Amino acid sequence: MSFGQGGPQWGPGDSQTPDWAALAEASESRTRRRKWLMIGGGALATVVVAAAVAVAVVSANSDNSSAANKPASELPSTADIPGASENPGPSFEETTPPPPPDPKEFISSAKKDKAPLSADTLFPGKSLTSGDRVYKKGDTDGTKKCASVTQAKLAAVLTKNDCTQLFRASYVKDNIAVTVGVAVFDTAAQAAKANDQAKEGLVLSLSGKGIPAFCRTAVCRGTYNAYGRYAYFTTSGFTSDKDVTEKERKVYTVGDDLARFAFGQINRRGEAQASAAANAPE
């Protein structure tokens, strides 16, 4: 056997036995070299992958690095940032609830004063209490001919200012009786003029239902006033038909009580209608 470069060689017809130990050693050496190369190649591939990942991370952050390192004065303004707005929060218009309706508005014009109107609505019940004084109610009535239930001078005033209705009711306490009259006009201006012009003349007294005739021939006290489109009057005196003088303070008290009652009833009309309007659905 001869040895040349590359390991043992055999020629044809060579009968010598191969050196099996040498061959095994050579094979084992080659196997170790291939295994190291495979391990080394794997390690190299891992290094290459890690480097690629690092490059990708650097590339992903490269766009923001310049902005992050800039001073605040060089950064883009809020308006330049997509999706940003000067007023990002929701905005609501300030609303102020309307003021409640004025009750007087509803009783100052026939166009708005639509509540039922009659002697019963103006003078309800069977009696009237004012303080510690209780007045029994007598008869009531109503008419569209205002001049027919008043003395001549007051009748002229009501006619001149276009009175449309006049309602009356009488009350009595002891020997003093009073008739309260409520005249109705289309506007508050007409009622105010009628009140200003009513210097003389009375609403005729109304008898009946326990109240005898009074103030037909005797001197009696009268009052005049207006509120909204209503003018209201009182005629008070003795059921004995005795003249009323300035000393008869009880007669004055009765007349004033009924005048306040008439005002209160008119005002309540306005309040009821204003309340209904405020609570009505829009």
Side-chain angles (χ1 to χ4, degrees), residues 119-239:
D120 290 335
T121 62
L122 288 172
F123 315 114
K126 296 181 178 181
S127 63
L128 167 65
T129 300
S130 179
D132 59 352
R133 298 175 295 277
V134 179
Y135 302 95
K136 179 183 176 182
K137 187 173 77 172
D139 207 358
T140 63
D141 69 2
T143 180
K144 293 182 179 180
K145 298 179 179 180
C146 302
S148 65
V149 292
T150 60
Q151 293 180 347
K153 291 185 178 180
L154 181 57
V157 170
L158 297 180
T159 300
K160 180 180 179 180
N161 290 284
D162 299 321
C163 174
T164 60
Q165 296 182 86
L166 198 151
F167 300 97
R168 294 185 300 169
S170 290
Y171 295 82
V172 63
K173 183 180 184 303
D174 300 329
N175 63 334
I176 301 173
V178 58
T179 294
V180 56
V182 177
V184 186
F185 301 84
D186 285 338
T187 67
Q190 291 171 320
K193 286 182 179 180
N195 178 57
D196 292 340
Q197 296 167 6
K199 304 300 182 183
E200 296 181 1
L202 300 174
V203 171
L204 295 178
S205 63
L206 177 64
S207 59
K209 292 188 177 180
I211 300 178
F214 66 101
C215 292
R216 295 299 176 91
T217 59
V219 175
C220 289
R221 180 190 181 234
T223 66
Y224 314 84
N225 217 323
Y227 185 63
R229 69 185 187 111
Y230 300 89
Y232 53 99
F233 316 97
T234 64
T235 300
S236 52
F238 293 103
T239 55

Side-chain angles (χ1 to χ4, degrees), residues 273-282:
Q273 293 179 89
S275 177
N279 295 324
E282 296 183 0

